Amino acid sequence: MAHPTVLPCLSVGERLDRLPVTPKHWRIFWLLTAGLFIDSTEIFLGGGVAAALLRDGWSTLELNAAFHSFTFLGMAIGALGCGILSDRYGRRFAFQFTLLIFGVASFAAAAAPSMGWIIAFRFIMGVGLGGELVVTYSTLTEFIPARLRGRFLALLVIFGGSTLFVASLMSYLVIPSFGWRPCFAAIGVAALLLWRVRSVMPESPRWLAENGRRAEAEAVTRDLEGPHYQPCVPAFELHAAQGARASFADLFRHGMAARTLATASISVAVNIALYSFTNWIPTFLVKQGSSITFSLGLSTLMTAGAPVGAAVAFFISDRFGRKPLIITGLILAALAGALYPTARSVEAAVTYGFLLNGLLYFLVAVGVTGYSAEVFPTACRLRGVGFVSMSARVAAMLCPYAVVPLFQWGGVAAVIGVVAAILFVVPVLVWRWCVEPTGLSLEVAASTTTDAALKPGLALAEDRIG
């Protein structure tokens, strides 16, 4: 009787990376995508809701600034807090907990009696939003094979980017006729329904192995392998207890500090651009004398570029290195931003706005989600992504306090000019400090500290994956 060939010792990560994509991968993808879709839709509803509150006399430019800023303050706290919770208690616990917070706060915001209460509930929603976004991208990276990781992350962003258009369309169809309250209520219902459905999600086997829960890691890995299982000697991480000892300071120790800061700079730049432009376009147009219906309609056309940019990332993210794509995207986005104030017609403004949104979401797919979720070790991956996201949210939180005086001083041209300048600076940091994770297993990418170490690491990863 022939005996099956037993493969050499393989870690959980190596076993996951050698798999083809299966229906179980797709189920995990769709459960994570649904949460991202709901959360991202609510984020971008904020622009239309703020414009309606201004129109109805509930708010002022200054209160709208607080509305946006407290959302991002909540998101910053949620991002870092969720990162710590997720590394300590698991990915599954973190994304269910944050979704529950978000859903309950959405209902409360729908019934808010004043602008002060709206801002307070929006802050709580932000805590859930920030945590959900961080854990979604990072969890997906821990399940998907290395050779397809970029495409799956880009596909996630395609759906996330489409929410920019969906939220704008929802604002256009709902707010002028029914007001802003139904928007919050609908999001709350969707979030709580998903919270119940997503209880079937498995825990990340990489996190389980890292934290010494070997039997559970083996069970989840075998379930994912299904008919593709090949007998092997399991090689559980010998440093399993390190997961409990990992700390926030690890992100700034030798070999990690430059990576952490460079990754944060990408997210900060893209978030400043997104939330200084996209979220404020309806308000800018209302202040310039346009009707709320016209303003929301024009914004909807511009935001249709977001899923297009993410779709481009889907086709090329695993074919070219992350670094050249990030650098190119930042420079092109800066140019598109610089062109926007020169528009002399509605058609030109929509075209430049479409291009800018497309390029920004290309960067979200390749740099913000793809890169940040790939380059930190499992033991502190969510802390790293949480810090990066927190930095971006703090920058976005401060944006309104710069946007309002800039707009009052020099109009849209002043706002976009500052955004373009920031986008031109960051490519230098990316070129100098970023490592290249394309095609590497998460474990190899996390241990790569210089580009000089990339080629042998890539060869090793390819050899192990087969």
Side-chain angles (χ1 to χ4, degrees), residues 67-91:
F67 173 84
H68 291 305
S69 290
F70 273 86
T71 302
F72 293 121
L73 175 61
M75 292 178 75
I77 293 171
L80 187 59
C82 180
I84 294 171
L85 286 175
S86 186
D87 282 338
R88 181 68 183 87
Y89 298 107
R91 308 336 188 192

Side-chain angles (χ1 to χ4, degrees), residues 178-219:
F178 304 102
W180 51 269
R181 293 184 192 274
C183 295
F184 284 140
I187 291 294
V189 169
L192 294 181
L193 286 175
L194 178 62
W195 176 80
R196 179 67 184 88
V197 171
R198 210 162 60 172
S199 61
V200 301
M201 268 281 294
E203 181 56 87
S204 163
R206 277 184 160 102
W207 181 86
L208 290 168
E210 181 73 28
N211 284 271
R213 294 164 63 172
R214 300 182 178 185
E216 294 171 81
E218 177 66 20

